[in-house]
Amino acid sequence: MTTLAVDIGGTKIAAAVCDENDAIIQRWRVPTPMDADAINDNIAKVYREAVAAGHRIEAIGVSAAGNVAADRRTMTFSANIPAWLNYDLSEHIGALIDHAVPVVVENDANCAGWGEYVHGAGQGSANMVALTVGTGLGGAIVINGQLFRGSFGMAAEIGHLPMVPDGSHCGCGLLGCAERYTSGTALENYAKSAVRRRPQDAKRLLELCGGDVNKLEGPMVSQAAQEGDELSLTAFDNIGEWLGRTMAAIAAVLDPDLFVIGGGVVAVGDILLEPARRNYALYLEGSAYREHAKIVAATAGQDAGLIGAANLALR
Ligand SMILES: [Zn+2]
């Protein structure tokens, strides 16, 4: 028995047939159309190809960027796909494949976090919080070995934890959300502003962006930081501090034993994790008189979301 896992990203749809241990046995990669119907068609097509290839698919697990209702079928909102407004994604895909198998929809950060929990750095933890530091800040919460979805499917929107009263404007409409201070976007914004203020200290970054600070991107800051560039290291200290403070706030509510940090930005390892750990300890309530959660980098890699979607589809 196998599962078809589908990860609907901003630019591509990654799909994979996974065996009963969530190991990937065949992959697909197709562009993500902006049109909801075309997305459904692409997924149905991949399903038919998988069946034609002889795979006995038991369920389809879909990882989608956006808010997923507690029914694990309905997209209540997505910043990427405007049509996903109280949109029964499961029904729309199911209708195209004669409802041959169940279609289970989960939030993308939940899938990636769950992938880490079952096959990555989260294994063996009882209470884990996964944070995906990418364009934004995604979250997943595991409590007593179970994915915690909340009452309305809205749990673990950690990127929108209000960290700074009347702070920076967030895409969600609120002010001062965590992801404004700790994410790939925050890293980029911080570095850009530092380059503009201190061009004399930004020789390496200016070199990497071809002299045009508007073209400066997160990966360039990562590269320069790994080379020891001081200004870039300061940018990581900054988002690392906010990552630590955000985790301390989470710990006040959930008291997890483990934080798993994933996403492209964590490729720099301790350059991000060291300031995060230091500030976690600084801002943690009762810090000197309690055990501290471990803070580690994710290990399941790019496929964490697919693996998580495959595993969750049968739970
Ligand atoms: Zn927000």
Side-chain angles (χ1 to χ4, degrees), residues 125-183:
S125 163
N127 301 304
M128 176 202 86
V129 175
L131 291 161
T132 308
V133 189
T135 309
L137 179 68
I141 296 169
V142 173
I143 294 180
N144 295 329
Q146 301 288 324
L147 183 69
F148 181 72
R149 296 183 180 83
S151 302
F152 308 105
M154 294 292 292
E157 288 293 330
I158 290 164
H160 302 286
L161 203 60
M163 293 300 292
V164 178
D166 300 323
S168 171
H169 278 273
C170 181
C172 74
L174 297 171
L175 300 176
C177 293
E179 71 176 30
R180 295 298 304 156
Y181 303 91
T182 186
S183 62

Side-chain angles (χ1 to χ4, degrees), residues 49-71:
E49 284 176 21
V51 171
H55 299 297
R56 292 178 57 208
I57 309 286
E58 212 175 343
I60 300 178
V62 178
S63 160
N67 300 134
V68 182
D71 63 5

Side-chain angles (χ1 to χ4, degrees), residues 266-301:
V266 80
V268 298
D270 281 344
I271 291 174
L272 174 69
L273 294 180
E274 196 280 323
R277 290 187 187 111
R278 183 158 31 86
N279 284 281
Y280 176 72
L282 268 177
Y283 288 94
L284 188 66
E285 189 267 326
S287 191
Y289 309 102
R290 64 187 283 174
E291 285 192 59
H292 287 204
K294 282 203 181 71
I295 297 168
V296 302
T299 57

